């Protein structure tokens, strides 16, 4: 996908489709005004006669526009000017690209940089446009005998009214381009079925990414023998009932000027299928537990984005991967295991397995002496009860880190919500037989899962993102969302030593 920036009069632009956002009330935006002037007041008249309703997300295609060099004109409703904030802007952009993706058009020119969004500058808007373009053209057709038509769109020209803004638009679209690639890589990994996307498959993907990176990424894979030798018995306990061997995958990217600068770390839950194990889940909707590696997928996606954008930051990414199945050799409720950290855990429910793979990965993270560690996991169904499908749950042992992540989520419009990890919750994990239990009962299930992880993260600033509600859609739209790749990438860009790559507020 290409995102050239143009400051020329939009009436002169040669393109298959010119996309023009319009407010429900008030004057036309600068690009629309120029087009209106050049086209015998086509846009103004459509609105005046009530032929175009500019309610938010409404899209109308005009197949022929006199006086313009574009083959088509697409009007996109922005709703009321007063309500045009980030969410509305994204909705309009998504509607436009949704429609563009179904046109027989290779290119489009869009005038979204004109749209006033409070506190958001040109770079932010360009970034949102580029990201939306990638999301819109995504298709997952790998397993269909007759694949749905693939969108042809491959070039989106960003129209910028003021010449001074074009370098900001260029940089914003470069970042949105990188993030869009990461989001779609995450969606594909998430959507792959459990019989294809196994822990070894993920390990191979990491090796492939390193091979394709011209030295920018290095990988290390720990197989079951290495994990046994290391003492990662908790991670290994989860895959014990599966024929698929577990893996710990480490990826390293050195972008900082100082190679010894402490790295930031991402740690992803990579349960490639979660049957619940001996504490077997009910059958309804169990297929969706192939998405239980979406934390890992988001780590791969963030690495993809980082390789595209190349921020000056050191990153170590870890994926803890296993398949959770019932079997004669599977871990049973009541079993006591020894974690890599040395703490013993009574496994009261084998379906609370994510924390068991993550705790060993989080202990392994200590050796990198990280500046920060963020784990990402589809950890608890309770996160869906607490926050629904809009916010990712955030918990942390460091309030500054929590704020940095909340900020990154706001900028990326991939938002999280802070939940408490108070000491009072910790006693729910008390066990009569081991150092701690792997479940804390029904109250505050998301928080007690976070409390469990916090026992393994006392050596560094750490945050936990529970993406159970945000990582995939169910129902007709079933599929991985690619969240929270844009939050994670933004967080890393904000840590980079050169402010050049930062896309933020005015
Ligand atoms: N992967 C699930 C969490 C999950 C469930 C995410 C449904 C999205 C939708 C996790 O491994 C799990 O099973 N958690 C249990 C924990 C419980 C046993 C304490 C849960 O949420 O029920
Ligand atoms: Mn589970
Ligand atoms: Zn799980």
């Amino acid at each position: 996908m290409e995102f050239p920036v143009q400051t020329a009069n939009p009436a002169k632009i040669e393109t298959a489709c010119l996309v023009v956002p319009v407010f429900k009330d008030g004057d036309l935006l600068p690009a629309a005004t120029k087009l209106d002037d050049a086209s015998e007041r086509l846009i103004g008249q459509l609105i005046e006669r009530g032929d175009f309703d500019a309610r938010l997300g409404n899209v109308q295609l005009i197949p022929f526009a006199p006086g313009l060099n574009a083959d088509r004109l697409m009007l996109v409703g922005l709703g009321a000017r007063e309500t045009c904030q980030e969410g509305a802007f994204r909705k309009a952009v998504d509607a436009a690209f949704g429609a563009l993706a179904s046109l027989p058009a290779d290119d489009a020119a869009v005038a979204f940089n004109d749209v006033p969004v409070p506190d958001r500058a040109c770079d932010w808007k360009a970034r949102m446009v580029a990201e939306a373009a990638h999301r819109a053209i995504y298709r997952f057709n790998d397993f269909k005998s007759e694949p749905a038509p693939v969108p042809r769109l491959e070039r989106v020209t960003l129209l910028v009214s003021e010449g001074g803004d074009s370098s900001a638009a260029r940089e914003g679209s470069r970042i949105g381009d990188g993030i869009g690639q990461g989001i779609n890589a995450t969606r594909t990994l998430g959507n792959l079925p459990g019989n294809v996307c196994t822990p070894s498959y993920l390990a191979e993907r990491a090796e492939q990414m390193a091979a394709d990176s011209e030295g920018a990424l290095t990988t290390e894979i720990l197989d079951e023998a290495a994990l046994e030798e290391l003492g990662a018995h908790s991670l290994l306990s989860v895959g014990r009932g599966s024929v698929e061997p577990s893996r710990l995958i480490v990826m390293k990217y050195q972008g900082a000027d100082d190679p010894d600068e402490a790295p930031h770390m991402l740690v992803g839950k990579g349960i490639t299928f979660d049957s619940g194990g001996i504490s077997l889940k009910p059958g309804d909707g169990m297929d969706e537990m192939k998405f239980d590696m979406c934390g890992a997928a988001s780590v791969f996606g963030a690495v993809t984005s980082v390789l595209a954008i190349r921020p000056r930051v050191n990153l170590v990414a870890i994926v803890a991967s296993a398949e959770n199945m019932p079997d004669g050799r599977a871990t049973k409720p009541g079993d006591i295991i020894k974690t890599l950290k040395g703490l013993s855990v009574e496994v009261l429910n084998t379906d609370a397995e994510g924390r068991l793979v993550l705790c060993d990965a989080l202990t392994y993270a200590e050796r990198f002496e990280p500046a920060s560690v963020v784990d990402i996991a589809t950890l608890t169904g309770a996160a869906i009860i607490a926050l629904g499908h809009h916010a990712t749950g955030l918990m942390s042992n460091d309030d500054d880190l929590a704020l940095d992540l909340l900020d990154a989520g706001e900028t990326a419009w991939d938002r999280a919500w802070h939940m408490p990890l108070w000491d009072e919750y910790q006693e729910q994990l008390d066990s009569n037989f081991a150092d701690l239990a792997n479940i804390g009962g029904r109250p505050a299930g998301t928080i007690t899962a976070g409390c469990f992880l916090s026992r393994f993260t006392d050596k560094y600033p750490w945050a936990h993102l529970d993406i159970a509600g945000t990582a995939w859609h169910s129902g007709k739209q079933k599929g991985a969302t690619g969240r929270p790749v844009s939050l994670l990438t933004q967080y890393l860009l904000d840590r980079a030593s050169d402010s050049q790559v930062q896309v933020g507020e005015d």
Side-chain angles (χ1 to χ4, degrees), residues 269 274 276 281 289 292 324 350-354:
K269 167 178 171 181
D274 180 13
K281 286 182 180 295
M289 282 298 114
D292 211 19
N324 187 22
T350 64
D351 198 11
E353 84 298 337

Side-chain angles (χ1 to χ4, degrees), residues 463-497:
H464 160 57
L465 295 173
D466 193 328
I467 57 167
T470 51
W472 76 89
H473 296 300
S474 306
K476 235 185 133 34
Q477 299 289 320
K478 195 189 286 184
T481 60
R483 289 181 70 181
V485 168
S486 56
L487 181 162
L488 297 172
T489 308
Q490 184 63 45
Y491 171 75
L492 294 170
L493 294 181
D494 290 343
R495 312 270 85 66
S497 48

Side-chain angles (χ1 to χ4, degrees), residues 18-77:
L18 196 51
V19 177
V20 184
V22 180
F23 279 122
K24 203 167 170 50
D25 30 45
D27 303 329
L28 293 179
L29 293 163
T33 305
K34 286 192 187 121
L35 294 166
D36 208 37
D37 291 346
S39 66
E40 302 162 27
R41 295 212 53 245
L42 174 67
I43 302 175
Q45 289 192 59
L46 280 168
I47 295 169
E48 278 158 27
R49 299 201 308 211
D51 285 337
F52 176 64
D53 175 2
R55 83 188 130 76
L56 180 60
N58 192 29
V59 171
Q60 188 162 324
L61 191 71
I62 297 142
F64 171 75
L68 308 185
N69 272 334
D71 301 340
R72 308 169 183 79
L73 190 63
M74 183 186 282
L75 300 183
V76 187

